[in-house]
Amino acid sequence: MKIVLTGSIGHISKPLAEELVKKGHTVTIISSNPEKKSSIESLGAIAAIGQVTDSNFLASVFKEADAAYLMIPPNYAAPDPVAYYRSVGDSYAEAIRQSGLKKAVNLSSYGAHVPKGTGFITGSYEVEQILSALPDVSITFVRPTYFYYNLNNFIQVIKATGAIAANYGGPDKIVLVAPADIATVVAEELTSAASGHKVRYICSDERTGNEIASVLGKEIGLPDLKWNILTDEQMLESLTGRGVLKHVAENLVELGAALRTGLLSGDYELHKPVLSNTKLETFAKEFAKTYHQS
């Protein structure tokens, strides 16, 4: 197959490209950074340098493709994150219309089943709505859960206070996922013969915040590490005090509150997937390396 990947050579796209190339597919990777060209080609893939907001560029890359993986590159500086998501979603939709692409896999998120109240993930809802309106296109909306590497954001807090602190966690269940496990599922969906629209959740492990703190704490030499619960107001103050832009901090607080209340995981709980391979204990070893190097 001829498969196009967005996301340059990031956490998901790189292992995804490696798996697809190994299986004999022709892979084109879109990146906005010309300096990534040689790294992309070293994977055995073709580099296409351009912007995902340029629908004409995308259409030219999609033209001969059998399938495409569509993700929204992070842009935390965007003054209106949801509008940014919508703009990229519109660009993907227009490129699909122009090129006649018949199969796509969209990297969405758990929580994308609700139209508001989930912070940045509201953008994933908007993109799903845009792509769902496309006629005659087979689309899988892949909804991964809480990325393991987001726990790395707590490293400086742990070093400063000796604890994890957020407006969620503690006794709350957190459904965790590894990028490599996402890549495996995306590869399956890109190369499957399925048609129509469908949603597929991906999760590697399910643990409470307290369990996460215990496992991570043992790996970094803090066996009594605790996960403290902050109010939404305390969380906002903590984030802005660390220099996080106010609109970004507000989205993160809303996202955390959605996790705490169960709004984020409501549909996931109704459509639970078989858990993937990478468990918390495996990630904890990577976390410890990052912790001690930072």
Side-chain angles (χ1 to χ4, degrees), residues 100-178:
L101 182 75
K102 294 301 182 184
K103 187 176 184 63
V105 176
N106 168 233
L107 181 70
S108 185
S109 173
Y110 81 134
H113 63 292
V114 289
K116 61 181 180 179
T118 58
F120 295 110
I121 292 174
T122 302
S124 294
Y125 168 85
E126 294 285 346
V127 172
E128 285 199 14
Q129 301 309 300
I130 291 167
L131 297 179
S132 291
L134 291 168
D136 305 319
V137 183
S138 172
I139 304 178
T140 299
F141 297 104
V142 169
R143 291 180 180 173
T145 54
Y146 186 110
F147 283 44
Y148 276 120
Y149 63 70
N150 286 334
L151 294 169
N152 291 340
N153 294 328
F154 292 120
I155 287 175
Q156 296 309 317
V157 174
I158 294 171
K159 289 190 171 185
T161 68
I164 295 173
N167 64 329
Y168 64 91
D172 302 326
K173 183 172 73 174
I174 301 175
V175 284
L176 304 152
V177 71

